[in-house]
Amino acid sequence: MVVAFKVTGGEQGGWVVLHVSGELDLVTSPGLRQRVHDEVADGRHSLVLDLSDVRFCDSSGVGVLISARRLLRSCQGSLRLVLPAAGAVEGSHVNRVFGALGVRRLFDVHLCLEDALVADTEPLSA
């Protein structure tokens, strides 16, 4: 079974929300990296990455998320991730990968999009 990778989105309440679905791996992660860079280049520095429908994530996918965090920090922006506990199908693969690598603490993680859009947090600092 081939799982299509897709990044869709638009603006919601002052945030750019990118819905990511499919597998975030060595082949597909450059597409997400480019989309994040394009949004920042267009002057949008408040991003929510909704990873609810990501079925698989490898280290290159995590690397793109860390790069996105670094990029937004460099321009005093904000990055929030939507990672529901259940996630895609039977459990969030991204949550398991984050746990195994110990990187979850680096991110502003929310269980649902609504929480990510209304949460009151400061922009990422150095």
Side-chain angles (χ1 to χ4, degrees):
M1 176 176 99
V2 175
V3 178
F5 176 75
K6 212 165 49 166
V7 179
T8 58
E11 292 193 39
Q12 281 185 255
W15 291 85
V16 171
V17 178
L18 299 179
H19 298 275
V20 183
S21 61
E23 297 184 354
L24 188 54
D25 58 21
L26 184 63
V27 174
T28 61
S29 58
L32 179 58
R33 179 186 316 269
Q34 187 60 54
R35 182 69 185 265
V36 169
H37 280 265
D38 290 348
E39 296 295 344
V40 171
D42 287 343
R44 297 181 192 97
H45 298 157
S46 297
L47 266 64
V48 174
L49 297 180
D50 185 349
L51 306 175
S52 303
D53 293 321
V54 173
R55 300 181 187 287
F56 175 82
C57 180
D58 68 7
S59 60
S60 59
V62 173
V64 166
L65 298 174
I66 291 171
S67 296
R69 179 183 182 273
R70 189 177 306 125
L71 175 64
L72 285 158
R73 279 178 60 177
S74 74
C75 58
Q76 279 71 51
S78 297
L79 174 66
R80 296 178 179 171
L81 303 183
V82 176
L83 270 176
V89 189
E90 296 177 2
S92 174
H93 186 269
V94 180
N95 273 326
R96 291 193 302 271
V97 171
F98 274 21
L101 296 175
V103 298
R104 186 180 174 95
R105 64 182 169 70
L106 297 176
F107 297 97
D108 183 3
V109 178
H110 299 270
L111 295 177
C112 67
L113 180 58
E114 293 75 23
D115 288 351
L117 293 173
V118 299
D120 188 25
T121 58
E122 294 296 315
L124 295 169
S125 60

